[in-house]
Amino acid sequence: MTETSMKIRLPVACFIMQIILIIIFGVLVEYDDGTDARKFHELQKTNGTTDIENEFYFRYPSFQDVHVMIFVGFGFLMTFLKRYGFSSVGFNFLIAALALQWATLMQGFFHGMHHGKIHIGVESMINADFCTGAVLISFGAVLGKTSPVQLLVMAIIEVTLFAVNEFILLGPLGAKDAGGSMTIHTFGAYFGLVVARVLYRPNLDKSKHKNGSVYHSDLFAMIGTIYLWMFWPSFNSAITAHGDDQHRTAMNTYYSLASCTLATYGMSALVCHEGKLDMVHIQNAALAGGVAAGTAGEMMLTPFGSMIVGFLAGVISVLGYRFLSPLMESKLKIQDTCGVHNLHGMPGVLGAIVGAITASVASKEVYGDGMADVFPLIASGDIDASTQGVRQAVSLAVTLGMALLGGLITGFILKLPIYGAPPDTACYEDALYWEVPGEEESHGELTTVRTEEGEKLNA
Amino acid sequence: MTETSMKIRLPVACFIMQIILIIIFGVLVEYDDGTDARKFHELQKTNGTTDIENEFYFRYPSFQDVHVMIFVGFGFLMTFLKRYGFSSVGFNFLIAALALQWATLMQGFFHGMHHGKIHIGVESMINADFCTGAVLISFGAVLGKTSPVQLLVMAIIEVTLFAVNEFILLGPLGAKDAGGSMTIHTFGAYFGLVVARVLYRPNLDKSKHKNGSVYHSDLFAMIGTIYLWMFWPSFNSAITAHGDDQHRTAMNTYYSLASCTLATYGMSALVCHEGKLDMVHIQNAALAGGVAAGTAGEMMLTPFGSMIVGFLAGVISVLGYRFLSPLMESKLKIQDTCGVHNLHGMPGVLGAIVGAITASVASKEVYGDGMADVFPLIASGDIDASTQGVRQAVSLAVTLGMALLGGLITGFILKLPIYGAPPDTACYEDALYWEVPGEEESHGELTTVRTEEGEKLNA
Amino acid sequence: MTETSMKIRLPVACFIMQIILIIIFGVLVEYDDGTDARKFHELQKTNGTTDIENEFYFRYPSFQDVHVMIFVGFGFLMTFLKRYGFSSVGFNFLIAALALQWATLMQGFFHGMHHGKIHIGVESMINADFCTGAVLISFGAVLGKTSPVQLLVMAIIEVTLFAVNEFILLGPLGAKDAGGSMTIHTFGAYFGLVVARVLYRPNLDKSKHKNGSVYHSDLFAMIGTIYLWMFWPSFNSAITAHGDDQHRTAMNTYYSLASCTLATYGMSALVCHEGKLDMVHIQNAALAGGVAAGTAGEMMLTPFGSMIVGFLAGVISVLGYRFLSPLMESKLKIQDTCGVHNLHGMPGVLGAIVGAITASVASKEVYGDGMADVFPLIASGDIDASTQGVRQAVSLAVTLGMALLGGLITGFILKLPIYGAPPDTACYEDALYWEVPGEEESHGELTTVRTEEGEKLNA
């Protein structure tokens, strides 16, 4: 077995993790009231709930949109690398499949057990996908430089800490963060950045020629971008309250994204060589408007406010890609493959701040009886709007602290030389972990160069 | 700054337009009753509306399908060009993000203000996406021959005229056109064709070798085709009345498309060299059944009628690609890159005619109490069915007139030499406006030829 | 006309079939109560049904997800072949468009006529798409070795037999199979395998160099895989009863797939050369968890049970690809291009067995009043749970028998030398039936080699 071989490592990791998951599910997990045959029919008898009022019909279309974002959106967004498409979409697939199961357990544990059981349904499925999103953001920071086993281990730890942080924010702190500007984006980004810092590779320039795109890989990445962009309104609104809340959140996000897109194109032409557009900006910064509307999207932000937020997010994201990322690599030794700091980090912090401000000006005149859905603590008179704003701000600080500390610990765990991490010469390279076919050349002769190269790498 | 540089032009256009949009939204736009926290809860108290009866649950899944058509469908359909994939999906993205915002305002203005405010919700979002669709159809006619700034200017003018035309049809004329055979497809196609005529390039053959596909670009285009095909039932039914109307419209469109597909394959083999199938036909003509069911889809067209309409649409569309398009280029000097005349123009007119005929035979026996949803003027006794048919036909004439006149004016505005339009030698070429990576060759060496070529083009 | 030319054959087949379909639809098909303008409004008056309770809102989002699986999922999954992408997605499109129309008629006929008419709505659309799925599975077995006319003929026969088998299972036998482990997957797989056996080509190694993937074709195939994976919960739940049933089925499938994915990655690394992952396994075996949850998914299988089923399905599917498929080709002379035996055959049988076992332990304690939705015959006291289990097992046997016999007959019909089937030297080759552009080489010069090659093949 060579140093990077997955022959034993990956099966062991997958099978052990999956079998443990199955056992815990067997012991702890139950259908919730909307999913269980007996319980839902009892509920219908007791409450007169009609079939269409099953939670499924309120949330399943949103769930599927979120699901597409997690598996197609994140997966294909990362296929921009010329030789790392299999790993981008394939490892994304693997760690998402693990993370959503583990998240079901961790979030179920913290969201409150029912007689010692975790109750699950479509809402827990959305929450599990959300938590998975944070892991995939961190994946973006270390893309191309990690083995699948490292990623699985990272997923397990990150999901656990995500659940703790989410619990602190939504529980004791009473913060609102339906689209996860803090819990998902800020947490996932800074967690991943610190992991990338700890895993810093001084000799990564040996793989530099593979850290870039080719024409068609950029088009594959645009599939990811466009799906993320289109379904972000569903993402932010997926777990908000029924009725006007889901409706409003989706619409705010829609306008934030549209405005962000124009800002991104304008900025990209402005800062790039000869006024040409840079695919990296379009693929990423155009999405920042969705991130930045993640906290305030469910509030009465208004389309006007959403568009301002989206515009700012697009501007700072492009500036980040153009000026900040190179500095972070040279000065801070953070090699952020996908630039998650620009897409999720800064826009996530912006979203948290916008959420705190918007919450602090919430008034009964504007929200009416809808206050109870958006700010239950204000509606019940427990706290006033400015306190809600402060709690939102504190939540951002807690999230940053959890992410930095968690990333630090995780980074050192991932540094152990047992996971089969790629050597500096074979980063951003599918052939290390995949059977890779050649490109077709001379009309039909399969070149085996790539596969041979992969074998050499393994030797 | 070279003649085609976007260094100043694009940022100026994007920022000015977006800032104006933000200001107008701030002044004029409000949440509607289903989106506003206070108002929806008041509505619930007054009317006993349940959460699930919020407009969001009736229309949001359809909206998302339409959204996919606009951004993935149109965007990827146009990636068939071998060197214009970035621009196809990227400019599609840009002008759609602008158009949907401007459409919100224009349509809101014409659909009726509420105490001086435009009220928006999921239905206005669908309508904005619809209007955007018309712009993207016109984009297809001029694809590869325009700068992004030209496209933004075209979008602003076209959206405005679209809203005027839509108002005339649905308001004073009382026409029905839920899927937009007239308002979207006929309008967008003939508008774009006239623009293409005014922008005629006699020396376009200098870029002829780039006006074609390669193997993988055709597969990317099929992503667009298939998504348009699958979601067209949602498109046509997205803003029809609740209940049977949405249900029926979706089903009629489903069968029209299936029938159209068989007609397309048959015709393609019949008219092509050696009986081989032509990807251009499959990518486009198979969709004509959706266009042609855009007006009558919500009516009691029956699956039988829908299938006949779809069949005819497929036949005329393939014939158009094979025989009419070359003639239009050589005789009428209309260089229609995507053949929008065959996919949207003729099938749109067919759809309008089918709509007029179907309306003119509407009867109380067939529609029952559902008449009020489909033909409110007939149900109320204001007009009879044959008058409705006449009004539908008049609507087609008005649409054609508006499109031709609007396209003419727009074409001359776009001819001004200030937008950085591509020279005849650099049409259908991403490298003019994008940083383009090379294709991978010799296993890992990035060729920079394309980028250099782009620089030469700019020099 | 050369031997494989589609110049006459394909138009004749398409036009005749489509015209016959149109005529039968005209004579026999009517809108159902939820789709017809008059009837739905009468229903609302009589029963007080609200708009949101129209079947459309219960099932249309699921329908669209299923639709995506049929056209994008199956279509792109098969684009893995390096030179057969046009045919994979294009013939998939063609035969699906035919099959869904014919299935509407066949299923309508067997599901019960209403005063001599077939009533259709969103549920029949889902069922038609389901039946189409079986045809596309069989297509996977013969992929690359059949002409489009052969495929159309296969579709007509297979849809007919599918409807008969489905009727026997769901009617007289009273079996449950909402996600079609038996009716769709087992039937489609074994039907296709027998057809492939009858069409065995001893000299297929002449096209062997084309029976493989290239880098980007594997990425296109992953689009298909991921969409199938994401939307499988919608597939299995699309026609289950309203409320908890749809909710539970979707969730069971979600966990089965997640578990299957980890099993697949682990097994793939374990059995492959040097521990590298094989794209064939990831693209296919990771989906087996959806197939295997097709029968029991609507039952009270629990997430725990679903995860065990998914795990087993992933394991047997990878083992099948690695060890069984080569044996089936060498010993049984079954050339199964896509390995449908591993993805649909064995997991389908597993799903049927799991369904039989789960049914046989159904109890009133677990299902409560929900029993009537899942097992109406048990709820009504007509049979007990163990009898239901036996009937499920008998259904599997019937399905296998129908598939084997049907495939045998169909295979011999398809062997007639009239359909323009490809010669052994031109299998897995788009250029035989499509106008194929060259790959771009030397920066912009279109190579015409492929097209020339296609002409030579036809000569």
Side-chain angles (χ1 to χ4, degrees), chain B residues 169 173-177 299 355-362 374-379 383-395:
Chain B
L169 265 60
L173 283 174
K176 298 293 287 187
D177 194 21
M299 306 174 188
I357 296 170
T358 312
S360 69
V361 298
V374 186
F375 298 114
L377 296 178
I378 303 180
I383 62 174
D384 62 8
S386 58
T387 310
Q388 180 76 35
V390 171
R391 288 179 172 210
Q392 298 286 137
V394 171
S395 296

Side-chain angles (χ1 to χ4, degrees), chain A residues 14 18 71 90 93-98 101, chain C residues 229 254-267 282 285-289 310-311 314:
Chain A
C14 286
Q18 188 58 52
F71 287 88
F93 188 17
L94 171 64
I95 59 180
L98 172 72
Q101 296 179 73
Chain C
W229 195 91
Y254 173 81
Y255 286 109
S256 176
L257 285 162
S259 172
C260 178
T261 302
L262 267 88
T264 298
Y265 275 81
M267 284 304 292
I282 306 308
L287 301 169
F311 193 86

Side-chain angles (χ1 to χ4, degrees), chain A residues 273-274 276, chain B residues 2 4 83 426 429-436 448-459:
Chain A
H273 179 63
E274 291 187 338
K276 294 194 181 181
Chain B
T2 63
T4 59
R83 288 177 174 218
E429 173 62 60
D430 277 337
L432 199 60
Y433 301 120
W434 296 84
E435 307 257 15
V436 177
T448 54
V449 175
R450 281 194 168 184
T451 310
E452 280 166 17
E453 188 176 320
E455 282 168 22
K456 265 183 281 166
L457 292 171
N458 264 4

Side-chain angles (χ1 to χ4, degrees), chain C residues 213-250:
Chain C
S213 63
V214 289
Y215 193 68
H216 279 148
S217 71
D218 268 328
L219 276 179
F220 277 112
M222 280 303 284
I223 297 176
T225 297
I226 299 286
Y227 271 101
L228 288 169
W229 195 91
M230 292 185 304
F231 289 165
W232 219 294
S234 304
F235 189 94
N236 285 347
S237 66
I239 55 157
T240 56
H242 296 166
D244 58 292
D245 303 78
Q246 288 196 280
H247 199 159
R248 180 173 59 250
T249 313

Side-chain angles (χ1 to χ4, degrees), chain B residues 434-447:
Chain B
W434 296 84
E435 307 257 15
V436 177
E439 292 294 339
E440 192 175 12
E441 286 182 44
S442 343
H443 306 289
E445 296 309 307
L446 255 186
T447 63

Side-chain angles (χ1 to χ4, degrees), chain A residues 50 52-54 57-59 61-62 65 82-83 209-210 212-220 222-223 225-227 229-235 237 240-252 254-255 257-279 282-283 286-287 297 299-304 306-308 311 315 364-371 373-374 438-441 447 449-450 453, chain B residues 5-8 10-11 13-15 17-19 21-23 25-27 29-42 44-45 50-52 54-57 60-61 63-64 67-69 71-72 76 79 81-87 89-91 93-94 97-98 100-101 104 120-126 128-129 148 152 214 216-217 220 223 227 231 430-440 443-446 450-451 454-455 458:
Chain A
T50 60
I52 195 77
E53 287 170 320
N54 189 299
Y57 302 103
F58 284 100
R59 303 208 186 274
S62 307
D65 291 351
K82 71 182 82 156
R83 289 178 173 219
H209 61 289
K210 286 178 272 186
S213 64
V214 289
Y215 193 68
H216 279 149
S217 70
D218 267 327
L219 276 179
F220 278 111
M222 279 304 283
I223 297 175
T225 297
I226 299 286
Y227 271 101
W229 195 91
M230 293 185 304
F231 289 165
W232 219 295
S234 304
F235 189 94
S237 66
T240 56
H242 296 168
D244 59 292
D245 302 79
Q246 286 196 282
H247 199 160
R248 180 173 60 248
T249 313
M251 199 166 73
N252 287 338
Y254 172 81
Y255 285 109
L257 285 161
S259 171
C260 178
T261 302
L262 267 88
T264 298
Y265 275 82
M267 284 305 292
S268 185
L270 192 64
V271 302
C272 286
H273 179 63
E274 291 187 338
K276 294 194 181 181
L277 295 163
D278 187 333
M279 260 291 167
I282 307 308
Q283 283 160 5
L287 301 169
M299 306 174 189
M300 289 290 285
L301 181 59
T302 75
F304 170 65
S306 307
M307 288 160 79
I308 294 174
F311 192 87
V315 168
K364 184 77 184 164
E365 286 70 48
V366 171
Y367 288 82
D369 289 349
M371 183 68 92
D373 286 339
V374 186
E439 292 295 340
E440 193 175 13
E441 286 181 45
T447 62
V449 176
R450 281 192 167 187
E453 188 176 321
Chain B
S5 167
M6 290 293 119
K7 187 85 181 175
I8 306 300
L10 189 60
C14 287
F15 294 158
M17 287 176 181
Q18 188 58 52
I19 289 166
L21 281 165
I22 291 176
I23 294 169
F25 264 75
V27 175
V29 174
E30 275 184 1
Y31 293 125
D32 72 8
D33 286 356
T35 321
D36 187 278
R38 184 177 54 74
K39 287 190 270 183
F40 184 65
H41 282 81
E42 284 173 5
Q44 291 198 298
K45 266 193 199 163
T50 59
D51 279 343
I52 196 78
N54 189 299
E55 198 68 17
F56 183 78
Y57 303 103
Y60 189 71
F63 161 72
Q64 275 297 4
H67 217 39
V68 171
M69 293 174 72
F71 287 89
V72 166
F76 277 89
T79 59
L81 288 172
K82 73 182 83 158
R83 288 177 174 218
Y84 207 64
F86 289 11
S87 303
V89 72
F91 295 162
F93 188 18
L94 171 63
L98 173 73
L100 65 87
Q101 296 179 72
T104 305
I120 60 175
V122 67
E123 201 167 339
S124 75
M125 287 159 69
I126 296 170
D129 267 34
L152 290 172
V214 289
H216 279 148
S217 71
F220 278 111
I223 297 176
Y227 271 101
F231 289 166
D430 277 337
L432 199 60
Y433 301 120
W434 296 84
E435 307 257 15
V436 177
E439 292 294 339
E440 192 175 12
H443 306 289
E445 296 309 307
L446 255 186
R450 281 194 168 184
T451 310
E455 282 168 22
N458 264 4

Side-chain angles (χ1 to χ4, degrees), chain A residues 7 31 35-36 45 54 57 60 64 83 85 90 101 104 122 129 227 430-431 433 435 439-440 443, chain C residues 83 215 227 230 234 243-244 246-248 252 254-255 265 270 272 276-277 300 302 307 365 369 450:
Chain A
K7 188 85 181 173
Y31 293 125
T35 321
D36 187 279
K45 267 193 198 162
N54 189 299
Y57 302 103
Y60 188 71
Q64 275 296 5
R83 289 178 173 219
Q101 296 179 73
T104 304
V122 67
D129 267 32
Y227 271 101
D430 277 336
Y433 301 120
E435 306 258 12
E439 292 295 340
E440 193 175 13
H443 306 289
Chain C
R83 287 176 173 222
Y215 193 68
Y227 271 101
M230 292 185 304
S234 304
D244 58 292
Q246 288 196 280
H247 199 159
R248 180 173 59 250
N252 286 339
Y254 173 81
Y255 286 109
Y265 275 81
L270 192 64
C272 287
K276 294 192 181 183
L277 295 163
M300 290 289 285
T302 75
M307 288 159 79
E365 287 71 47
D369 288 349
R450 280 193 168 183

